[in-house]
Structures are given as structure tokens and as C-alpha cells.
Amino acid sequence: MANISIKNVTKSFGAVKVIKGVDLEIKSGEFMVFVGPSGCGKSTMLRLIAGLEDITSGTIAFEGKVVNALAPSDRGIAMVFQSYALYPHMTVYQNMAFGIKLGGATKEEVEKRVRIAAEMLQLTPYLDRLPKQLSGGQRQRVAIGRAIVRDPKVFLFDEPLSNLDAALRVATRLEIAKLHHSMNNVTMIYVTHDQVEAMTLADRICVLRDGYIEQVGTPLELYEKPNNLFVAGFIGSPKMNFLNGKFAAPYKANSIGVRSEHLEFVAKGGWPGKVIHAEKMGSDTYSFVDLGMTEPAIIRETGTSRHGVDAKVSLAPMKDKVHRFAVDGKSI
Amino acid sequence: MSSVPENGTPIRNELFAGRVRSAWLFLTPMIVTLLIVAAWPLSRSIWFSFSDASLGHFRDAQFYGIKNYFKTITMDSGAIHHFGVLVDPAWWNAVYNTFRFGIVSVTLETVLGLAVALVLNANFKGRGFVRAAILIPWAIPTVVSAKIWGWMLNDQLGIFNDILLRLHIISEKIAWTADSNYSMFTIVMVDTWKTLPFMALLILAGLQQIPGDVYEAAEVDGVHPLSVFWNITLPLVRPALMVAVIFRMLDALRIFDLVYILTPNSSQTKTMAVISRENMFDFDKLGYGSAESTVLFLILLITVIAYIKIGRVNLEGNN
């Protein structure tokens, strides 16, 4: 149980400024996801919280106590690395026991904690195996198990699913969500570049770009009320349709954005265009409509579409579902 | 190898035959070279060891049985004398010297090499330059560096004695290479100076195979730096370390040039290779020297096989 308070934190590597002044309050027991494109500083933020990197300026406090000068092992954290970072020459059991054994726990205590974590992650049959004898998903579970046995106040995940295949990613995502429910006092911070992971796991999402926070909020807040063009474009799949010029003028904005599910085909009026491609997903159909902009607009229909490729169609946004943006990209 | 069925015999087809042909094509130059530079001289040497060859007549050398290794002569007086390499105290002294040198110098080089490698593995400015510079002792031909050291260690004119005298570490000049108390120490010291870089770079290559995030995981786990070294670094660098030790051990057990130049004719330092050359060329006993060479070869072979078995060294390169 720990709330984390980040105040005006910056981080430079030599002359390169990576984090340019971040303020953030993470509540105790919260699942916070840092999301953003590569190079936005999200992993650096996590490493600053972990203590694996030194803070250039500003403070990070756990429960009101500044931890800037505290070693990672003294912060009450556990971390799951992207590459798992398992000790290759130790068995699954040894990997999980190593840290706490050296931390002074008794043999029975170590044994008990490892058994409980292994049970929780269905790793019991593999305790005597070496990491190289495990699949990617099992290795990731060992890494999570090693973190659990430390009984941390703060759980840090650095892109833990990015080395897994798509099916395993969904399954492990569920495991992590369940883990969060079962350890509801533990604060979790999770870094990803995948906005689907962010949307599905987070209590709150922190969108980072270029060393700054763009917006912090619950997944639905970000989805429904993005602060600016960047967040609007980054959250949601497929990407929000952006239109400007004559499309935006009637809405008294520099540009407007409409999500694919908020566009509909209309008989008359609306924006005229031509269907150039259709992706049939079974449950939905995504039609790509050329409206004369550089990018085609994407419209989602449930089930199959009435309109084939090359059909002349007319699109209109649903009422109150248009996002308006000013010249500087901010939402109006 | 999808073309290998259950019972292990490959399917014979055109593609397979083509692969076999190109394998032979690529292997032949190496096999021929090895036959010329290794198999031929080695088998000649073994043949000479069973003959009465000398420098003057080795083309028409006669088969001599195992007499170079062991023979018994009964004197007219009835006394029985044994001769041959296997009962030659000078030879066994050389074997002792060689192993003493090999074990001490390789141990020293391994420990120091590991220390240097750990330093070179750290991040600091000018690391690339230091890594290149440290190779210099190893790049100098042994004959040259042995001569340089010979001069520096000279008992009357050498800089080594001069410095130690000025620092009051010694009270009188020491004949580092000639004094039997110091000659082995001197050989070990110069050899360590020379081969430490090689050892350090081999170990460094092993250290660089260890992924950095493992150390970060240990940092989060709160593992003490000494424990990180014993429980993580050492086990993970062990395979590279074991191979480096084999290379050095093979090299050390057949040491010749350093001893021959720095301390010629000292029974304290005379090694197997030195004494075998001495018999072949100085005493014109080609057969006897060859017998010593052959025993040297067998000793090396046994040592390396034992080391690989005991140390469970993986030379195959797979996991």
C-alpha cells in the first residue's frame, strides 16, 4: 500500500533531456498505465520510480517520504522486466527464492512464499526447471512470481507482454488483471506502447509524449474526452478520423475528429465519397472511404456492409460525437 | 535437418549428394593442411622416438624399440641400470617444473584476468582505448619481450633492481634470472605480464554475454554486490572462463621461448619442451628428445581430457 507522488521530475542523459518536468499523483492500490509512442520517456519514468536511474531534478515520494536517494531494494518495489531478466543458471524455484533468501527470510518462510506464488501462477510443476526449458509465457509468469514473493508495495511492469505472441498476450493480460484484483492493496504501474493493453488493464492511464504528460485519466475519460489531437489519435483502434478545412468549418474548429463507430452512411447530405477498401472482421466491417483528404475515413458497421468497393456513398457523424480541436491541437 | 527420418539414415537424393560434395569441397583444404603441418610432423616425431635417429642420420634411422623410453643394462659386475625417459630424473624434474609453472601462472592469470575484465566491463570514458592498449604486451613477440625483460631484470644493470634498491625494498641486487631462488618466480611474473591481456579479453567477451537486465533484477532484489559476483557473474561467465583456462593451460604446459631466453640451463625452470629440444639438438639425441616430445604430447592430451571431463566444459557451443 503506497501512494506515489511525483513532483516536477526531470531526467537528462548527458545533454539529452528525456523527462521534461512531470507531475503525477498515483493513488494507493491504483493500476496506473504509462502509455505513449517509443521514445516518449515512459520506460524512463518507470526506471526513475524503481530507482534504477537517478533523478536529475524534482522529487519522487512514496507515502509522503522522498525516495530520491533510496536504493531500489529499499523502496518496497518489485519489477517485471520486458525481457523477463531471469537468472539463467537458476531453477524456477531458485529464481523466485534468491532475493528473499538473501533478504534474511527463514528457509520455511522462503519455501512457503515461493509455493504460494507458484500455485497462484500455475508454476508448481516447473519449479525444478531452468528458464531455458520454459516457454515465453511460463518465463513471464516466473518473472511475475519472483516479483510477488517480494511482497511489494509497488509493482512495476516494463512492457511485460511485448515478447509474447498475440494469443498468449491476451491470456497473460487477464492473469495480470486477476493479480491486481487479488492484491488490491498493491499499487501497480505498467508501461506499454499498446493502447489496447492500457485500455483493458488501467484504472487510470497516463499518456506521455516527448517527456511530457499529455493527459491523465480513466480509460473512458481519455476515449470520450481527449485533451488534444495527440491523445485523440493515440487512444482507440482504429485511429480516430481527423478532418479539417471545409469539413471542420461548420463546427467552428480548425479540425474535427470522429471515431469510426460514430460515422454512419446517410442517403443524402453528409460528406460524399467512394469506398476504396473494406475489412471484414465478421462481427464488424471497417469500410475505408475516400473523402478527398490525404487519408481515407474509416467507418465501422456491425456485421456486414451494404456497400461494396467502389460504391458511391455519403457519410455523416452522429450527433454530439464530433471532437473539435483548435489550431494548437487543444480540444475545444 | 528435416530430411533425416526416424531411424537416423538420411534420405539419399540429389540435394543430399550435392550437400555432401560441397562439404568435402570446403573441408579438403583444411584436412590437407592439417595432414601436412600436424599429422606428418607428429607421426615423424613418434617414429623417431622408437628409433636410434640422430641429427646426422635420421633418414636411415633404425627401429630401436622402446629403448628411448626404457631400457635395462646389466653391467659386467652384475649391477643392473635403468635408462630412458621414463626413469630419467632430469625429465621428471622438467615435468614437475612445467606443472608448477602451469598451475601457478594460469591460476594467477585467471584471477587477475577476471579482475581486469570486470574493470574493463564497467562503463567509463576512454574504455575503447584502454581495451586496445591492454593488448600490447600480448602483441609483442615473446622473444622480444623476453629480451626486454631480460635486460630490465639484469642483476647489475637492470632497472628492476635499481628501483627496488631506491625504494629500500631490497638491500642488495638480486640475480632474478640466474638465482635459483628467484628464477621460477621471474618466469611466472613475465608470463603473467604477457598473457594477462589475452585472458582478460577472453573473459571480457564472456562477461559481455551476460544480459544487463539480470543485474538490474538483482538490484531490485537487493542482492549485495559481492553476492551478485559469486551467485550471478561467476556462474554465468564460467563457460567462457573454462575455455580460456584450457587455452592458457595448453599454452603454459608447452612453454619454451620465455624459459629458453630468460633462464637458459637453470634446472629450476627447465620445462618439458626445453629439455626435449636440448636433447634433440644440443646433445644430438634426436630419438631420445623425440621420446620426450611424445610423452609431452601424451601428458598434454591426458591433462586436457581430464580437465574437460572434470570441469564439464562445453566445447560444442550449444546449450
Side-chain angles (χ1 to χ4, degrees), chain A residues 120-185:
Chain A
M120 204 159 143
L121 295 162
Q122 297 118 49
L123 284 170
T124 311
Y126 308 110
L127 283 175
D128 293 327
R129 297 221 190 150
L130 288 173
K132 68 183 175 199
Q133 297 164 317
L134 300 177
S135 70
Q138 288 164 340
R139 286 180 208 181
Q140 187 54 275
R141 294 213 299 277
V142 176
I144 293 172
R146 183 171 64 182
I148 290 174
V149 294
R150 284 181 56 74
D151 194 18
K153 289 182 287 187
V154 180
F155 229 114
L156 306 174
F157 294 92
D158 188 7
E159 307 217 16
L161 306 185
S162 56
N163 286 347
L164 303 180
D165 64 50
L168 210 49
R169 211 175 294 167
V170 174
T172 314
R173 202 165 74 200
L174 180 68
E175 295 283 330
I176 292 174
K178 274 161 53 185
L179 188 68
H180 179 227
H181 291 309
S182 65
M183 306 172 81
N184 50 11
N185 279 333

Side-chain angles (χ1 to χ4, degrees), chain A residues 47 52 72-73 81 83 85-90 98 102 146 150, chain B residues 213-214 216-223 227 231-232 235-236 319:
Chain A
R47 295 169 61 81
L52 291 171
S73 52
F81 293 83
S83 54
L86 300 177
Y87 307 121
H89 57 298
M90 297 188 196
F98 186 52
L102 293 170
R146 183 171 64 182
R150 284 181 56 74
Chain B
D213 54 12
V214 169
E216 292 190 335
E219 207 181 331
V220 170
D221 271 348
V223 185
S227 172
N231 292 308
I232 297 173
L236 290 180
N319 287 319

Side-chain angles (χ1 to χ4, degrees), chain A residues 18 24 62 81 93 112 118 144 161 178 186 196 222 233 269 284 288 297 310 327:
Chain A
V18 180
L24 183 65
F62 286 24
F81 293 83
Y93 183 93
K112 194 178 131 209
I144 293 172
L161 306 185
K178 274 161 53 185
V186 177
V196 177
L222 297 192
D284 303 295
F288 292 67
D310 284 340
V327 182

Side-chain angles (χ1 to χ4, degrees), chain B residues 19-29 31:
Chain B
R19 281 186 190 153
V20 170
R21 267 198 305 278
S22 49
W24 276 110
L25 190 66
F26 284 110
L27 281 174
T28 306
I31 291 174

